[in-house]
């Protein structure tokens, strides 16, 4: 096994394997020969599973846990003040701290794999926690943090190499202070010879920089040279570059590229004037071009100093994590059992598809180094729910096709074909939202988005390919003669549209109550993840030991204004540090209660009478600061807009409006109920709300797909068709919601404190989402189509015809 893993770690082998699987994937969908499609699908499934298993083995080493699950490293930093023209230190402003936090997040989490926790500490301090960081990685992070990345382009003096009577060139004399050249400074240029030995000489450059980091539009590792970074300037930078070089003599004039006060290179200008693009060379160390490009795209206004680095315990206790794992495993087992009992042999095949889905999810997460956190687990719950939903949708279609008298092969083909559009649309809307969240969201949102993108892709693959291949094998080998299912939810003809006015009135009232709850509770509805608070610190040292679980029990038993979060950090030099992040008004009470309850913290110095272990306090900012919150809300808003655009393209605007109203309704009511219950909104609720939105739109699209199908083939009134569509999909809606509710209830009641809040809000969200997909989304579509006076059937026909013409175009 280890040999196979090492074998696959070779980039060439991994690339060839990925390319082979991609060819098989396109070949599968490109061929119309059933036996060939079956064989290709089998090889593709086995190949992907083998690759993902190898990538995630052994799990303890390959799967990265977040700071909440596995712990990691904690860095204490402070911002260095800049100097004014008189050489005096300028005070640190809140905007400079916010800018530094933003840059740190982008440098360390540009790809959404790290998920750092960053908070302001005091006036100029920053607390950074990174999950699962080893000592070697800590050194790299320290270097990343301390690099200001202040890039400047300066003209090199034509007198740079003039040699004086003492045999030294002019630049050296200026650096030593033996000579001055008005308007010029000497900067060091570090060079390496062919054997890698470094040497330093001085370059005389203009005091005033011609270009700066603000003039850079894009920086990325060069594709032509391994030791270089390609730079693209913005329009202002291009004008400055032209002004700098237009009067230079080709082959004589030189430009110094200065980074953080050191000359990286001073190339001769071979063509004048230079314009929009140039290249920085001489970056010989492995990974240096990527690190420099990342730093240039995220420059710091002020230098950062790393004061201390410590190991940090998980924010969740070991017992809580164990509870969560047991509850998650039990929830998954109950889901498998439900599918198996209800769909029997077909359910067993669905379980195989779900196992493949899970293998792909863990394999891809470990292959690319993505981190598992609670918000990420929220994304996993959603993707497993969508995978179950896809199978239920196919099997309910299969039941309908069998009742029409078709043989098993014909019924299977028809059920997969008819269910495909609904499965595809629901998954694509989730991918659109996840892509926008990843592009624009903060660390927490990125973690959810990454897991969702991978999970949705795996779910789509397992639903439309894996299970279908297994069915083909069963039929071809004569193993499947007849499929039977339970039929607990009989087809009916309820008048859902006739109750729309009552239901919408109820929804509006609930919305108003939810919004009123926010207005009444105000800031009390927000946890310290949103509001910030105080960080209590007990420096235990090397000798004193205080079990973290004891601290958690004391804190959890207190009546606090907001939930508090104990944690331990360790350092070889100073020992253990116990920290409690809490609301500022609770800090005194927590300190006092801990001293009363834990003897080690109550001990006093016999000589001075003061506590032997001192307790200090620092103000800490919200983990979701204003800028991050606005950025995440902006990302969510754009995600909803993306859904509206896609649904308008695939269906018609009235359907897009119905879907948007349903999502808005579900999110507001779910969060409002949490607030009404006296809960506080925290980071875990962010993942939960996004999960609810995903469930809501997926559920709604299933109904819309059946409405569209009936509109295209029936001439009945729109209201009657909508009633029949909701009734036709009712069994799928209730089965999927029921299966997911069982799993979420287990998480809520057995998953411990960490998953309780998540489980409760998801439970509420599924109930509310099921209600909105039946009683809100379709009535809004009907209301809007009647209001504008158009013919919704003609609009759907036109949209469908346009989509078909685009897909049929060469």
């Amino acid at each position: 096994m280890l040999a196979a893993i090492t074998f696959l770690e070779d980039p060439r082998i991994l690339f060839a394997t990925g390319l082979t699987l991609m060819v098989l994937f396109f070949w599968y969908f490109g061929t119309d020969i059933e036996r060939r499609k079956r064989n290709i699908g089998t090889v593709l499934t086995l190949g992907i599973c083998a690759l993902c298993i190898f990538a995630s083995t052994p799990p303890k080493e390959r799967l990265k846990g977040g700071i909440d699950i596995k712990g990691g490293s904690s860095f204490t930093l402070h911002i260095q003040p800049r100097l004014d023209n008189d050489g005096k230190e300028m005070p640190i402003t809140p905007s400079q701290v916010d800018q530094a936090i933003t840059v740190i997040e982008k440098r360390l989490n540009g790809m959404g794999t790290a998920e750092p926790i960053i908070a302001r500490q005091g006036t100029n301090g920053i607390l950074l926690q990174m999950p699962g960081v080893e000592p070697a990685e800590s050194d790299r992070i320290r270097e990343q943090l301390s690099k200001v990345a202040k890039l400047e382009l300066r003209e090199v003096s034509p007198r740079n190499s003039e040699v004086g009577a003492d045999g030294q060139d002019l630049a050296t004399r200026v650096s030593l202070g033996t000579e001055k050249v008005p308007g010029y400074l000497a900067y060091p240029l570090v060079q390496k010879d062919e054997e890698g030995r470094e040497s330093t000489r001085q370059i005389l450059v203009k005091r005033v920089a011609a270009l700066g980091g603000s003039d850079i539009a894009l920086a990325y590792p060069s594709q032509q040279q391994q030791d270089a970074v390609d730079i693209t300037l913005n329009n202002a930078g291009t004008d400055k570059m032209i002004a700098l070089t237009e009067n230079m003599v080709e082959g004589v004039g030189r430009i110094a590229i200065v980074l953080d006060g050191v000359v990286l290179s001073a190339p001769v200008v071979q063509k004048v004037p230079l314009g929009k693009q140039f290249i920085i060379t001489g970056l010989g160390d492995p990974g240096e071009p990527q690190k420099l490009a990342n730093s240039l795209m995220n420059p710091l206004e002020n230098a950062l100093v790393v004061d201390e680095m410590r190991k940090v315990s998980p924010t969740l206790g070991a017992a809580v994590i164990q509870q969560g794992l047991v509850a998650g495993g039990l929830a998954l087992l109950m889901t498998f059992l439900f599918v198996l009992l209800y769909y029997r042999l077909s359910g067993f095949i669905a379980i195989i598809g779900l196992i493949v889905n899970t293998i792909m999810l863990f394999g891809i997460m470990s292959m690319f180094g993505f981190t598992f956190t609670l918000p990420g687990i929220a994304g996993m719950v959603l993707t497993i729910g969508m995978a179950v939903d896809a199978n239920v949708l196919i099997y309910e279609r299969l039941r309908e096709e069998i009742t029409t008298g078709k043989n098993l092969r014909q019924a299977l083909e028809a059920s997969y074909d008819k269910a495909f559009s609904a499965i595809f649309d629901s998954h694509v809307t989730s991918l659109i939202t996840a892509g926008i969240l990843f592009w624009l969201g903060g660390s927490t949102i990125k973690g959810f988005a990454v897991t969702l993108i991978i999970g949705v892709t795996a779910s789509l693959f397992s639903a439309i390919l894996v299970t279908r291949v297994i069915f083909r094998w069963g039929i071809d080998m004569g193993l499947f003669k007849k499929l039977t299912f339970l039929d607990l939810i009989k087809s009916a003809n309820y008048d859902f549209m006739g109750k729309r006015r009552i239901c919408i009135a109820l929804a509006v009232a609930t919305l108003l109550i939810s919004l009123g709850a926010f207005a009444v509770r105000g800031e009390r509805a927000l946890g310290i993840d949103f509001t910030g608070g105080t960080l209590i610190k007990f420096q235990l040292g090397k000798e004193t030991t205080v079990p973290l679980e004891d601290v958690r029990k004391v804190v959890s038993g207190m009546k606090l204004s907001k939930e508090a979060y104990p944690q331990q950090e360790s350092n070889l030099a100073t020992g253990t540090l116990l920290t409690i992040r809490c609301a500022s008004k609770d800090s005194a009470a927590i300190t006092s209660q801990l001293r009363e309850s834990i003897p080690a913290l109550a001990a006093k110095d016999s000589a001075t009478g003061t506590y032997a272990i001192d307790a200090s306090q620092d103000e800490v900012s919200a983990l979701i600061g204003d800028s991050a919150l606005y950025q995440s809300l902006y990302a969510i808003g754009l995600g909803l807009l993306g859904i509206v655009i896609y649904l308008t393209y695939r269906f018609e605007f009235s359907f897009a409006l119905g879907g948007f109203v349903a999502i808005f309704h579900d999110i507001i009511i779910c969060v409002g109920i949490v607030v009404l219950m006296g809960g506080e909104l925290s980071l875990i609720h962010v993942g939960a709300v996004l999960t609810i939105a995903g469930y809501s739109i997926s559920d709604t699209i299933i109904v819309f797909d059946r409405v569209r199908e009936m509109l295209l083939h029936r001439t009945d009134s729109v209201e009657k068709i909508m009633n029949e569509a909701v009734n036709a999909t009712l069994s799928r809606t209730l089965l999927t919601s029921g299966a997911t509710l069982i799993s979420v209830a287990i998480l809520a009641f057995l998953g411990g404190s960490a998953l309780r809040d998540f489980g409760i809000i998801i439970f509420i969200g599924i109930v509310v989402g099921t209600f909105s997909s039946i009683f809100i989304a379709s009535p809004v579509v009907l209301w809007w189509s009647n209001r504008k006076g158009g013919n919704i059937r003609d609009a759907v026909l036109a949209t469908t015809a346009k989509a078909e013409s685009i897909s049929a175009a060469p």
Side-chain angles (χ1 to χ4, degrees):
M1 177 69 76
L2 289 175
I5 293 169
T6 306
F7 180 73
L8 281 173
E9 283 180 344
D10 187 323
R12 293 168 298 180
I13 304 254
L14 189 60
F15 175 78
T17 305
L19 185 62
T20 302
L21 293 174
M22 186 179 295
V23 169
L24 288 173
F25 180 81
F26 286 108
W27 192 7
Y28 174 88
F29 287 101
T31 183
D32 292 326
I33 302 173
E34 284 298 313
R35 180 168 294 182
R36 181 183 295 169
K37 191 182 282 284
R38 181 200 68 190
N39 294 338
I40 294 171
T42 304
V43 175
L44 180 62
T45 300
L46 294 176
I48 289 177
C49 287
L51 182 64
C52 291
I53 290 171
F54 288 144
S56 56
T57 307
K60 285 188 176 180
E61 296 178 13
R62 295 281 173 163
L63 301 178
K64 286 174 58 179
I67 202 81
D68 49 358
I69 296 173
K70 197 174 180 179
S73 291
S74 175
F75 297 85
T76 304
L77 314 114
H78 77 265
I79 301 175
Q80 282 190 325
R82 289 185 292 181
L83 302 179
D84 60 18
N85 294 331
D86 298 325
K88 296 180 180 179
E89 291 187 353
M90 301 169 63
I92 301 295
T93 64
S95 64
Q96 289 173 334
V97 178
D98 291 341
Q99 192 265 349
I101 290 175
T102 301
V103 169
I104 290 171
E105 181 177 331
K106 288 182 178 178
R107 286 188 183 183
L108 300 181
N109 196 37
M111 292 302 295
T113 61
E115 298 199 40
I117 294 175
I118 311 170
R120 176 175 51 80
Q121 186 172 338
T123 55
N124 67 339
I126 294 174
L127 178 66
L128 165 68
Q129 293 184 344
M130 292 285 290
V133 177
E134 299 298 325
E137 184 75 0
S138 298
D139 294 336
R140 185 191 67 81
I141 291 173
R142 187 186 294 266
E143 180 186 349
Q144 282 272 80
L145 294 172
S146 59
K147 189 183 288 295
V148 178
K150 183 180 181 182
L151 183 72
E152 298 172 325
L153 268 64
R154 299 173 182 264
E155 182 180 353
V156 178
S157 169
R159 298 176 56 202
N160 176 72
S161 302
E162 285 184 6
V163 179
D166 57 358
Q168 294 179 326
D169 60 34
L170 181 59
T172 303
R173 298 199 302 276
V174 170
S175 68
L176 296 173
T178 57
E179 189 167 340
K180 291 185 177 181
V181 179
Y184 286 86
L185 295 170
Y187 276 7
L189 169 62
V190 180
Q191 294 177 311
K192 290 183 179 180
D193 59 21
E194 294 179 353
E195 297 179 1
R197 292 175 298 190
E198 289 188 353
S199 61
T200 303
R201 64 188 183 90
Q202 300 294 323
I203 297 289
L204 192 64
V205 299
K206 273 197 171 182
R207 181 181 294 272
V208 179
L211 288 87
S214 61
D215 299 311
I216 295 176
L218 189 61
Y220 51 92
S222 175
Q223 301 300 312
Q224 284 74 37
Q225 293 180 246
Q226 292 186 348
D227 64 343
V229 172
D230 288 330
I231 304 292
T232 301
L233 300 172
N234 55 29
N235 292 335
T238 303
D239 294 338
K240 293 176 183 178
M241 178 64 85
I242 293 172
L244 171 64
T245 58
E246 62 184 351
N247 294 322
M248 287 184 176
V249 179
E250 292 183 0
V252 176
R254 298 173 68 191
I255 298 175
I257 301 172
V258 184
L259 182 69
D260 294 339
V262 177
V263 179
L264 294 179
S265 61
V268 176
V269 178
Q270 301 295 343
K271 180 183 178 181
V272 296
L274 293 179
K276 197 175 189 68
Q277 295 177 318
F278 65 96
I279 189 169
I280 298 175
T281 59
L283 307 171
D285 295 336
E288 186 65 21
Q290 181 62 62
K291 288 191 288 186
L292 177 59
N294 194 21
S295 297
L296 291 177
M297 291 302 293
N298 303 289
L300 283 166
E301 292 181 7
N302 298 65
L304 287 175
V305 177
V306 180
D307 297 321
E308 196 173 22
M309 193 278 287
R310 297 173 177 270
K311 283 189 175 181
V312 63
S313 67
T315 54
L316 306 176
V320 174
I321 294 172
Q322 186 64 30
Q323 275 184 301
L325 291 175
V326 171
L330 183 59
L332 195 61
L333 181 63
M334 291 299 293
T335 302
F336 286 175
L337 187 62
F338 170 81
V339 173
L340 184 63
L341 290 176
Y342 201 88
Y343 291 108
R344 299 170 184 174
L345 179 60
S346 300
F348 178 73
I349 294 171
I351 290 173
I352 295 175
L354 290 173
I355 292 172
V356 171
N357 181 19
T358 306
I359 290 172
M360 288 179 64
L361 178 60
F362 280 97
I364 296 173
M365 291 284 284
S366 59
M367 198 180 303
F368 292 97
F370 293 118
T371 304
F372 287 91
T373 60
L374 275 182
I377 292 172
M380 291 175 61
V381 171
L382 174 56
T383 57
I384 291 174
M386 292 184 70
V388 171
D389 187 35
N391 284 289
V392 170
L393 183 65
I394 292 168
Y395 292 163
E396 290 302 304
R397 282 283 192 174
L398 179 58
R399 186 201 304 275
E400 294 176 14
E401 298 300 325
I402 290 174
T403 57
T404 62
K406 294 178 181 177
N407 62 43
L408 185 56
R409 184 185 295 274
Q410 292 172 335
L412 277 168
E413 293 301 318
S415 63
Y416 273 93
D417 291 343
K418 290 184 177 180
F420 176 77
S421 62
I423 295 172
F424 182 79
D425 286 336
S426 62
H427 283 65
V428 167
T429 51
S430 294
L431 284 174
I432 290 171
T433 307
I436 293 173
L437 292 175
F438 177 80
W439 174 38
L440 295 173
S443 288
T444 302
I445 303 294
K446 268 191 171 73
F448 175 86
V450 164
T451 312
L452 185 57
I453 290 171
I454 296 171
V456 166
T457 305
S459 171
L460 195 59
F461 176 83
S462 63
I464 66 175
L465 190 148
V466 175
T467 56
R468 194 167 189 174
V469 166
I470 296 173
F471 275 122
R472 284 190 174 115
W473 274 108
I475 292 174
D476 290 346
M477 297 179 69
L479 300 176
F480 300 161
K481 301 293 185 182
K482 182 180 179 183
L483 295 176
T484 58
F485 317 105
L486 287 180
D487 191 14
L488 300 180
I489 304 173
K490 305 293 184 181
S491 58
N493 189 26
Y494 301 114
D495 184 15
F496 291 109
M497 293 301 106
K499 308 293 189 300
R500 63 182 183 273
R501 290 181 177 84
I502 297 174
C503 293
I504 289 176
L506 177 63
V508 170
T510 311
L511 280 171
L512 292 176
I513 293 172
S514 300
L515 294 172
F518 279 109
V520 171
R521 292 201 64 196
E523 191 175 301
R524 289 176 297 162
L526 302 176
I528 61 173
D529 288 346
F530 287 94
T531 62
T534 295
L535 188 71
I536 306 171
K537 295 187 287 187
F538 291 94
Q539 183 62 61
L540 303 181
K542 297 181 180 179
E543 305 297 331
T544 307
T545 302
V546 175
L548 188 58
E549 290 303 318
D550 291 352
V551 178
R552 293 186 198 277
K553 287 179 182 177
V554 173
V555 173
S556 62
M558 298 177 65
K559 290 184 178 181
L560 303 173
S561 62
K562 296 184 186 298
E563 188 174 356
Y565 301 91
Q567 210 170 7
Q568 275 188 351
E569 304 176 8
S570 59
N571 182 289
L572 291 176
T574 58
T576 303
L577 178 71
L578 171 66
T579 65
I580 303 97
R581 190 164 53 92
C582 63
S584 297
K585 64 171 67 176
D586 296 329
S587 60
I590 290 174
T591 304
S592 176
Q593 188 64 41
L594 287 174
R595 290 202 186 279
E596 290 178 11
S597 306
I598 299 176
L601 300 180
K604 292 188 177 182
D605 188 292
S606 57
T608 62
T610 58
Y611 287 109
I613 298 175
D614 187 34
S616 60
Q617 297 183 8
D618 279 326
E619 178 195 353
V620 289
S621 67
L623 296 185
I624 306 178
D626 289 343
S627 59
L629 180 61
Y630 293 143
Q631 185 183 22
S632 297
L633 290 175
Y634 178 62
I636 293 171
L638 275 185
L640 292 175
L641 179 62
I643 290 175
V644 169
I645 293 172
Y646 181 79
L647 291 183
T648 302
Y649 166 73
R650 288 287 290 166
F651 296 87
E652 199 264 342
F653 176 73
S654 57
F655 290 88
L657 181 63
F660 177 84
V661 170
I663 293 176
F664 181 80
H665 163 273
D666 297 348
I667 291 175
I668 297 297
I669 289 181
C670 289
V671 175
I673 291 175
V674 170
V675 174
L676 282 170
M677 292 169 61
E680 295 174 1
L681 300 181
S682 61
L683 280 175
I684 191 60
H685 290 106
V686 175
V689 165
L690 295 173
T691 305
I692 290 167
Y695 266 120
S696 176
I697 193 62
S698 177
D699 215 17
T700 302
I701 284 176
I702 303 302
V703 177
F704 284 175
D705 183 76
R706 188 61 69 97
V707 171
R708 175 177 58 185
E709 179 185 328
M710 290 182 172
L711 284 171
L712 293 174
H713 300 98
R714 301 258 302 269
T715 58
D716 297 312
S717 69
V718 174
E719 183 172 340
K720 182 179 179 181
I721 284 176
M722 284 188 170
N723 254 327
E724 291 191 21
V726 174
N727 278 286
T729 57
L730 185 62
S731 59
R732 183 225 61 93
T733 300
L734 296 180
L735 286 171
T736 303
S737 298
T740 312
L741 279 174
I742 293 171
S743 301
V744 171
I746 292 172
L747 291 178
F749 293 106
L750 301 179
S753 58
L755 293 177
R756 185 179 300 119
D757 290 344
F758 173 73
I760 288 173
I761 191 171
I762 293 292
F763 190 95
I764 296 169
I766 293 172
V767 174
V768 174
T770 303
F771 172 85
S772 69
S773 65
I774 295 174
F775 293 106
I776 302 297
S778 294
V780 169
V781 175
L782 182 63
W783 165 75
W784 184 261
S785 60
N786 291 337
R787 178 182 177 277
K788 69 177 186 178
N791 189 323
I792 190 173
R793 180 179 282 103
D794 291 342
V796 170
L797 284 168
T799 304
T800 304
K802 184 178 179 180
E804 290 176 350
S805 65
I806 293 174
S807 61

